[in-house]
Amino acid sequence: MEDRKDLSESTWVDLKLMSIEATNSHLLYANGLQQVELLVRVLGIDANGHDEAISDEELQSLELFDARGTDIEITLQKVQDSYSYKNDPEVEYKGWGWGYRRNAEILPLSATGDAPPSPTPATSTHERRVKIYLHTRTAQPLHLGFRITQQGGDVFHSGDMAGGVARLLSIPPKVYSPAHYTFRHDHRRTELNASGNEVDFICYTLSLFENGARIEFLPDFTVPGQVGMLDLGKDIQQVGTYAGTSLSGGHEFHTYIERAHLPRVPASVKRSGDIPLVLGWQTPLKRIGDHFASLQPIFFKTVDHYGNAHNIGVSFTEDKQALKLT
């Protein structure tokens, strides 16, 4: 029987198959985090017309290009490099990027209309397959092809074959209105702190809904900008009012009133995907340092499971008895 080929060698003379197909969706948000999964399939053919597998090195020579011949840049990069969600200023790169690793925290958009087909079964044991993941920060369509470079230097373009181009569409990141955010809260409770002073508090949960479907916030992408707000009143014995927030799925509330008694996030509101907040009253709550009576909102940044960013502000209502979006 003929010895078929060592993958470290290059014996094929042409490509019998070069295809690229989206396997989860043709559509993605241009937020730098959401990805389109693409399946690349390559099969060589030797001088005698036999199927041949390309080598690992040749498969790793994979490059992407815009099949329409424009100057769209498609860069091999880590997905985290394409979106600055914790640091300012934002990254300079604004175009399309790709890599071999899936960002499992971010969900793809459900395909509608032009749904991607199920991946085509392999027709040869020598067919090589690899999954790649594309993300973008620019809202524009892309006709995506790829190149493979043979060890001898010859470059093969997928656009020369049927199925060698994937047509993708990116849309601007979603911006939600206040009506999409919902506050839930449990009953008001009273506890005693270590000094025997009464502390009342209500634990809230901030959730996001669209068309009745809950959209989760991601704890790894939640960054408090200001950790609390405080009203100490004019009299040292007056009720002190304060608030704090926790990370999505967190156990502790965060506030700059270190001496205030803050409860742990109760199980009733500690649900992964929501933002827990607390509003509390304590008598007496002594003045701390140079803090003066103020009602500054809590501002924090977070990202939902589709990769869209949220800049959220929460403040007191006028009677200081509830929280509201600002």
Side-chain angles (χ1 to χ4, degrees):
M1 181 176 179
E2 180 184 3
D3 182 16
R4 301 303 286 167
K5 130 184 180 49
D6 183 341
L7 292 183
S8 64
E9 300 175 355
S10 180
T11 60
W12 52 275
V13 297
D14 203 351
L15 285 175
K16 181 178 181 180
L17 169 71
M18 289 183 76
S19 72
I20 182 169
E21 50 191 299
T23 57
N24 61 0
S25 178
H26 293 296
L27 181 69
L28 76 165
Y29 283 121
N31 55 36
L33 288 175
Q34 192 171 56
Q35 297 170 308
V36 167
E37 181 183 84
L38 297 152
L39 177 65
V40 171
R41 304 168 59 214
V42 185
L43 175 64
I45 186 170
D46 66 15
N48 297 317
H50 298 141
D51 292 347
E52 289 287 356
I54 72 172
S55 69
D56 290 339
E57 180 181 348
E58 289 163 334
L59 189 61
Q60 291 168 6
S61 73
L62 177 74
E63 294 179 305
L64 303 183
F65 66 94
D66 178 26
R68 295 174 301 174
T70 68
D71 294 329
I72 294 177
E73 182 181 5
I74 308 169
T75 304
L76 178 62
Q77 62 176 186
K78 296 179 180 179
V79 63
Q80 286 86 351
D81 295 339
S82 73
Y83 188 95
S84 178
Y85 59 92
K86 288 187 177 179
N87 302 300
D88 291 324
E90 291 186 346
V91 293
E92 294 181 358
Y93 182 71
K94 303 293 185 181
W96 292 82
W98 68 282
Y100 292 101
R101 188 179 67 82
R102 175 175 172 254
N103 188 353
E105 291 184 288
I106 307 298
L107 302 181
L109 279 177
S110 298
T112 57
D114 186 20
S118 300
T120 305
T123 58
S124 170
T125 57
H126 298 285
E127 180 182 315
R128 303 297 306 275
R129 294 184 167 209
V130 61
K131 287 183 177 180
I132 61 175
Y133 299 90
L134 194 76
H135 57 270
T136 185
R137 299 192 69 218
T138 182
Q140 62 184 16
L142 178 66
H143 291 207
L144 186 69
F146 66 95
R147 292 184 284 260
I148 293 289
T149 301
Q150 197 178 34
Q151 291 181 14
D154 291 334
V155 179
F156 296 82
H157 295 257
S158 67
D160 296 334
M161 295 188 174
V165 174
R167 292 166 177 82
L168 309 174
L169 178 65
S170 67
I171 57 178
K174 179 75 175 184
V175 178
Y176 293 93
S177 70
H180 289 99
Y181 301 93
T182 301
F183 273 126
R184 293 182 294 105
H185 63 82
D186 65 2
H187 61 280
R188 182 167 175 169
R189 292 178 288 166
T190 300
E191 293 184 4
L192 296 178
N193 64 10
S195 302
N197 297 319
E198 288 189 350
V199 180
D200 294 329
F201 60 87
I202 295 178
C203 295
Y204 288 83
T205 300
L206 181 64
S207 305
L208 175 65
F209 289 88
E210 183 177 19
N211 298 324
R214 177 170 162 265
I215 299 174
E216 296 185 5
F217 300 113
L218 301 179
D220 290 344
F221 294 80
T222 301
V223 185
Q226 179 178 313
V227 296
M229 50 190 172
L230 168 69
D231 180 23
L232 291 176
K234 297 179 180 179
D235 190 311
I236 197 170
Q237 297 299 319
Q238 283 187 341
V239 174
T241 310
Y242 59 90
T245 184
S246 177
L247 299 180
S248 173
H251 298 277
E252 302 287 345
F253 290 102
H254 304 281
T255 174
Y256 56 63
I257 314 173
E258 296 179 358
R259 299 180 210 174
H261 175 83
L262 285 175
R264 289 176 62 84
V265 178
S268 59
V269 296
K270 194 196 70 173
R271 183 170 65 168
S272 177
D274 295 333
I275 302 291
L277 301 104
V278 65
L279 176 61
W281 303 264
Q282 184 169 327
T283 307
L285 183 60
K286 294 183 178 180
R287 197 177 299 280
I288 303 173
D290 294 328
H291 289 309
F292 294 96
S294 61
L295 294 176
Q296 299 300 318
I298 299 173
F299 290 102
F300 56 93
K301 297 179 181 180
T302 188
V303 171
D304 64 47
H305 62 203
Y306 291 124
N308 291 315
H310 302 256
N311 293 309
I312 300 173
V314 178
S315 66
F316 292 116
T317 56
E318 291 183 4
D319 60 6
K320 306 176 188 176
Q321 299 299 300
L323 296 173
K324 64 179 181 179
L325 288 174
T326 59

